[in-house]
Amino acid sequence: MLSTTSQVKVDPRDAKLSMAHFYVAFIALAIGGLMGLLQTLVRSGKFELPGGIGYYEILTVHGVLLGLVLTTFFIMGFQHAAVSRTAGTHSNAARRTGWIGFWVMTIGTTMAATMILMNKATVLYTFYAPLQAHWIFYAGLTFVVVGSWIDGAAQIMTYAKWRKANPGKPGPLLSFMAVVNTVLWFVCSLGVAAEVLFQLLPWSLGLVDRVNVLESRTLFWYFGHPLVYFWLLPAYMCWYAVIPKIIGGKIFSDSLARLSFLLFLLFSIPVGFHHQLTEPGIDPAWKFFQVILTFLVVIPSLMTAFSMFATFESAGRAKGAEGLFGWIKKLPWGDARFTVPFIGMAAFIPAGAGGIVNASNQMDQVVHNTIWITGHFHLTLATSVVLTFFGISYWLIPHLTGRKLSKAMNKLAIIQAWVWLTGMTFMSGSMHAEGLLGAPRRSAFSLYNGAKQAAEWIPYQIAQAIGGSILFLGIILVLIIFVNLAFFAPKGEEEFPVGETDPNAEKTPMVLENWKLWIGLTIILILFAYTIPFIDIIRDAPLGSKGFKTW
Amino acid sequence: MAKTEPKGKKKIKDEENSSLKGTLVSVLFLGIFVIVTWVSVYFLFLNRF
Amino acid sequence: MHIHKYEKIWLAFGLASLIVFLTVIGISAFYLGNKPPSCLTTINPEKVDQTVPFNHPGLHKVEGKEWDYELVYVAQTFSYTPAEVKIPLGAKVKVIATTKDVVHGFEVAGTNINMMLEPGYVSEYVTTFNKEGEYLLLCNEYCGTGHHLMSSKIEVVK
């Protein structure tokens, strides 16, 4: 699979581009993480924010910085490196494109952050109308999305160059995966772009008076669910294509890995209604139809689970493991590059199970907008994805900065992951339990007029504050490691591990590179799932809403 | 840091089925976990008004 | 494309489970009437107080319908009207609610009554209050500074 254009080392010019993304990502992690700590402390009822700072303002900072900024910047930085490593150095044009994308995103982030800090955009990271933020906030978000498109275009340029130079061959696996994720991102972020450009921006500028609330929410969730897969797929890139190399094994199946990515492209978008199951104005039959499609997106994750175990077991058996589970002992538990993402993988088991519950149509009434949901995505995003991102950083940052992950830092990284798991078990575990009792998400501490039910929730909220504090310790540790790897670690060469397929594995079918086919199918599925209900939403719309500033 | 070199030189030939038994059992455990989670919340739904 | 025999077994097991889940919730939703709240009625959000039934929030006995009572709520930042209501145990009630301003949540903690209120739309849910006790109705969608103070009380009494 390795071609002549594949580089063992990422070109230093591309490395600089990646690193620029990572600086922003880790600054976002530091600030966003601190906000998360404050939230759990406030909600325990034992602590109040100083200086009249609002709970919902820091909640907005937390969501925007960690949900949108950390993720997008890390993903783009990682994908640039992965493409440059496996499909060849960016051309000057592609690299310039990447830099333009980076700066557009950074300017957008600054605009949005400024408005949030001035308390002009305390609308949380979902910015549901008719809450109306300052127009600069919406413009800033537009810049972030448009910047990410430009950034992604650079990756596609380099991939296309490789394909042109290697006719009839499937692109390198990591690059292929990066491109699928970028295409997924293009297709889904059109929804939020339409919402912001055609609805929220003109409305916040006063050019139009009213906004169609349900239409804006539907466009948001057309984007909002694939958004979580845009976060997840880079983690899967590491699991499928990097981890096998680290554990001394082979990629279980190149074709199945590609197929699962394409299935994510197909099925992660036409499913937004499962976030709107309890909303008025949407026909229940269309909700159920999208529930069915949501269940289909479980399949590639089932495939992934099998592939991961199979990779581990094959590698272990190749090293002489015996018995049913002997291979577990052969895994390199002392290697942070493996152990940290592995803990992330393990967290995906309860995360996935919870996700199937959330998507189960009327069962959503048990958990909708309760803190169970917060617990859920702190397992998916804030454990599976984020721990994998940390695990990637531990070899990628030194690889890019010409340094080495020292023994001490490797050890600290493993401790960090266990600290994270401990904190998350407290926090996410108690969120799940409290949510089943009915406690709401996104709410400051409240006694609810002395309601008995609300009093029963307080112990869980204290557990969340304990978990949140442990997690913040985890953030301090990861920042120490990041700064060390970026500036202080000993000079040297750290490998960028790229998994290999078995030499006698079957050839990857070229149909998997038929982009017209896959993008075409994606569009057909989207049109099928959305056209009629979306027309209904517009046709049957009530009088639109004026803007409200209720914070 | 430790680069992972295969320690045992003895390579076992991939035997189609016997070599992935652990995988099958692991994923089935995972499947059962999913089912138990789902069924518990479904019963919660049934028991509430 | 070659798929390992065990992977086939696993995918078959997974698919079968998903199909069973979907069948159970599908039958429950469309044959037993347990669809999630999806009312299609619209309303002028600026004239809620003048519009039937929201001009008389509260619990009303009704005759000749599938349910015995209608419980009407109006939500606005940061309160529900009525602020307190007593429901006879075992009453079949249609809960009808809407919002006068931003999006609100409408969740009766510990029950399946959980729906979004969106300006311009009416949200409805029919259920039988068959467990005695005091229930907290709260807003579970961020609506502004006082979001966590937005609540109401429902007592199911003998």
Side-chain angles (χ1 to χ4, degrees):
Chain A
M1 197 57 56
L2 288 180
S3 92
T4 46
T5 46
S6 167
Q7 310 290 311
V8 177
K9 219 173 144 40
V10 174
D11 185 279
R13 292 165 298 172
D14 294 344
K16 222 175 131 191
L17 174 61
S18 279
M19 281 306 294
H21 286 81
F22 291 148
Y23 292 132
V24 179
F26 279 86
I27 291 170
L29 175 69
I31 304 171
L34 176 63
M35 298 303 131
L37 170 69
L38 295 177
Q39 281 157 241
T40 58
L41 292 179
V42 169
R43 198 162 175 174
S44 73
K46 310 277 178 215
F47 174 85
E48 273 173 39
L49 289 171
I53 304 169
Y55 175 85
Y56 298 105
E57 192 177 358
I58 63 167
L59 180 55
T60 306
V61 176
H62 178 77
V64 169
L65 283 186
L66 298 186
L68 301 177
V69 178
L70 164 71
T71 49
T72 311
F73 276 85
F74 187 91
I75 290 165
M76 286 299 158
F78 172 51
Q79 291 189 171
H80 275 303
V83 170
S84 173
R85 163 76 170 80
T86 58
T89 306
H90 278 327
S91 67
N92 286 335
R95 193 176 309 111
R96 202 176 313 121
T97 309
W99 277 110
I100 295 172
F102 168 78
W103 281 111
V104 173
M105 289 207 301
T106 307
I107 292 167
T109 302
T110 315
M111 288 162 69
T114 310
M115 288 303 114
I116 297 169
L117 293 179
M118 290 169 68
N119 201 22
K120 301 235 180 253
T122 303
V123 291
L124 310 191
Y125 83 104
T126 44
F127 49 88
Y128 291 138
L131 294 174
Q132 190 185 58
H134 196 284
W135 68 268
I136 294 179
F137 173 77
Y138 299 119
L141 292 181
T142 310
F143 275 52
V144 173
V145 170
V146 171
S148 70
W149 289 348
I150 302 172
D151 232 338
Q155 296 156 18
I156 293 180
M157 282 163 80
T158 300
Y159 188 72
K161 193 178 74 179
W162 190 97
R163 287 291 314 282
K164 219 171 162 190
N166 298 270
K169 279 207 225 160
L173 182 59
L174 264 178
S175 292
F176 174 88
M177 291 170 152
V179 169
V180 174
N181 200 30
T182 301
V183 171
L184 169 80
W185 178 246
F186 280 146
V187 179
C188 80
S189 51
L190 285 174
V192 74
E195 180 199 2
V196 170
L197 290 178
F198 300 135
Q199 293 194 285
L200 303 184
L201 254 182
W203 173 65
S204 62
L205 283 165
L207 301 176
V208 296
D209 225 16
R210 294 172 184 275
V211 71
N212 180 336
V213 171
L214 186 57
E215 183 191 332
S216 75
R217 295 171 65 85
T218 305
L219 286 172
F220 183 86
W221 283 115
Y222 163 91
F223 154 81
H225 197 73
L227 170 69
V228 309
Y229 284 98
F230 171 70
W231 299 334
L232 183 65
L233 290 193
Y236 276 23
M237 283 166 71
C238 169
W239 299 358
Y240 270 112
V242 173
I243 294 284
K245 177 80 174 177
I246 292 173
I247 65 168
K250 297 279 182 217
I251 292 173
F252 175 64
S253 165
D254 179 272
S255 319
L256 286 176
R258 289 172 201 254
L259 179 65
S260 79
F261 267 60
L262 291 171
L263 291 177
F264 280 120
L265 174 64
L266 291 183
F267 294 121
S268 72
I269 304 172
V271 298
F273 281 171
H274 77 238
H275 290 259
Q276 300 178 280
L277 287 171
T278 67
E279 284 186 37
I282 304 172
D283 191 283
W286 283 107
K287 287 179 180 174
F288 193 69
F289 180 69
Q290 292 207 7
V291 164
I292 296 173
L293 290 175
T294 310
F295 272 54
L296 290 180
V297 82
V298 177
I299 295 168
S301 280
L302 297 179
M303 290 164 62
T304 306
F306 190 91
S307 282
M308 292 308 113
F309 282 115
T311 305
F312 299 153
E313 182 165 8
S314 310
R317 291 201 186 276
K319 290 178 194 169
E322 278 169 29
L324 201 52
F325 291 116
W327 43 276
I328 295 175
K329 276 181 261 157
K330 299 282 179 187
L331 292 168
W333 296 108
D335 187 341
R337 303 172 307 162
F338 164 75
T339 304
V340 178
F342 179 86
I343 294 174
M345 290 180 198
F348 207 68
I349 297 171
I356 296 174
V357 168
N358 302 342
S360 293
N361 211 42
Q362 64 271 31
M363 277 162 74
D364 187 41
Q365 288 162 233
V366 178
V367 296
H368 179 73
N369 270 353
T370 69
I371 201 164
W372 157 289
I373 301 296
T374 317
H376 167 69
F377 64 73
H378 278 81
L379 285 183
T380 53
L381 173 61
T383 309
S384 296
V385 170
V386 157
L387 277 185
T388 305
F389 287 2
F390 292 167
I392 291 168
S393 309
Y394 299 150
W395 50 262
L396 183 54
I397 307 281
H399 177 88
L400 298 175
T401 55
R403 296 176 188 276
K404 279 191 77 66
L405 177 66
S406 65
K407 275 215 168 82
M409 283 299 139
N410 179 63
K411 182 112 198 191
L412 191 60
I414 292 174
I415 293 172
Q416 194 281 337
W418 287 110
V419 167
W420 198 268
L421 181 68
T422 312
M424 201 54 86
T425 306
F426 272 98
M427 193 179 86
S428 176
S430 58
M431 283 174 165
H432 276 91
E434 193 190 1
L436 289 178
L437 297 175
R441 68 188 282 201
R442 299 181 146 180
S443 298
F445 180 74
S446 174
L447 295 170
Y448 288 104
N449 279 324
K452 262 186 256 157
Q453 284 175 307
E456 289 167 14
W457 298 337
I458 293 175
Y460 295 96
Q461 289 163 194
I462 291 172
Q464 285 154 29
I466 295 169
S469 307
I470 300 172
L471 284 165
F472 189 67
L473 174 67
I475 286 187
I476 294 174
L477 294 181
V478 78
L479 289 173
I480 291 172
I481 304 169
F482 175 78
V483 170
N484 176 276
L485 294 176
F487 305 109
F488 302 110
K491 299 261 179 205
E493 294 229 337
E494 184 70 45
E495 180 199 9
F496 185 140
V498 178
E500 288 152 32
T501 40
D502 216 295
N504 40 24
E506 57 161 355
K507 264 185 64 185
T508 302
M510 281 308 286
V511 64
L512 298 173
E513 281 280 1
N514 190 340
W515 293 91
K516 281 195 192 107
L517 171 71
W518 300 108
I519 296 174
L521 281 175
T522 305
I523 293 170
I524 289 171
L525 273 170
I526 292 169
L527 291 178
F528 201 47
Y530 268 113
T531 309
I532 295 174
F534 199 66
I535 290 174
D536 286 347
I537 286 170
I538 293 174
R539 191 195 55 201
D540 303 333
L543 177 68
S545 284
K546 292 185 170 168
F548 289 87
K549 294 182 185 71
T550 55
W551 63 89
Chain B
M1 73 176 273
K3 291 276 178 290
T4 46
E5 299 289 337
K7 292 226 173 68
K9 285 273 171 274
K10 175 182 66 154
K11 291 220 168 185
I12 291 178
K13 255 245 172 299
D14 267 6
E15 272 151 9
E16 262 287 86
N17 297 329
S18 65
S19 63
L20 290 182
K21 272 215 173 91
T23 300
L24 183 65
V25 174
S26 307
V27 287
L28 288 178
F29 268 120
L30 188 160
I32 288 165
F33 177 80
V34 170
I35 292 173
V36 169
T37 307
W38 192 89
V39 170
S40 333
V41 180
Y42 186 68
F43 273 95
L44 205 52
F45 174 78
L46 288 183
N47 284 325
R48 290 177 169 184
F49 63 77
Chain C
M1 203 175 304
H2 171 75
I3 298 181
H4 192 281
K5 191 175 120 195
Y6 286 172
E7 180 156 12
K8 285 182 188 153
I9 297 176
W10 162 237
L11 289 179
F13 172 85
L15 267 173
S17 311
L18 293 179
I19 290 170
V20 170
F21 293 168
L22 280 174
T23 311
V24 169
I25 55 178
I27 290 175
S28 164
F30 293 95
Y31 290 93
L32 305 175
N34 295 319
K35 289 189 277 272
S38 310
C39 179
L40 301 173
T41 314
T42 56
I43 183 176
N44 181 336
E46 286 164 10
K47 297 210 167 91
V48 170
D49 289 336
Q50 295 95 288
T51 310
V52 176
F54 301 103
N55 51 352
H56 292 295
L59 187 70
H60 311 291
K61 182 105 177 92
V62 293
E63 301 292 338
K65 296 194 179 171
E66 263 180 69
W67 44 87
D68 315 316
Y69 291 90
E70 289 180 350
L71 178 53
V72 181
Y73 278 98
V74 176
Q76 65 188 101
T77 49
F78 301 102
S79 65
Y80 295 98
T81 315
E84 203 179 326
V85 86
K86 282 192 169 67
I87 299 174
L89 181 66
K92 191 171 183 187
V93 178
K94 182 182 208 175
V95 183
I96 309 169
T98 194
T99 164
K100 287 163 75 169
D101 40 48
V102 298
V103 175
H104 293 287
F106 187 101
E107 179 198 324
V108 182
T111 75
N112 293 331
I113 306 169
N114 189 353
M115 52 195 183
M116 302 296 299
L117 308 183
E118 292 175 19
Y121 291 89
V122 176
S123 295
E124 294 179 351
Y125 192 69
V126 180
T127 191
T128 303
F129 287 76
N130 56 14
K131 281 192 195 82
E132 217 181 334
E134 213 178 283
Y135 293 90
L136 170 62
L137 161 63
L138 57 81
C139 178
N140 64 9
E141 183 61 271
Y142 169 65
C143 58
T145 322
H147 162 56
H148 54 287
L149 304 173
M150 185 166 167
S151 69
S152 172
K153 194 162 97 175
I154 295 178
E155 268 184 90
V156 181
V157 290
K158 264 205 184 120

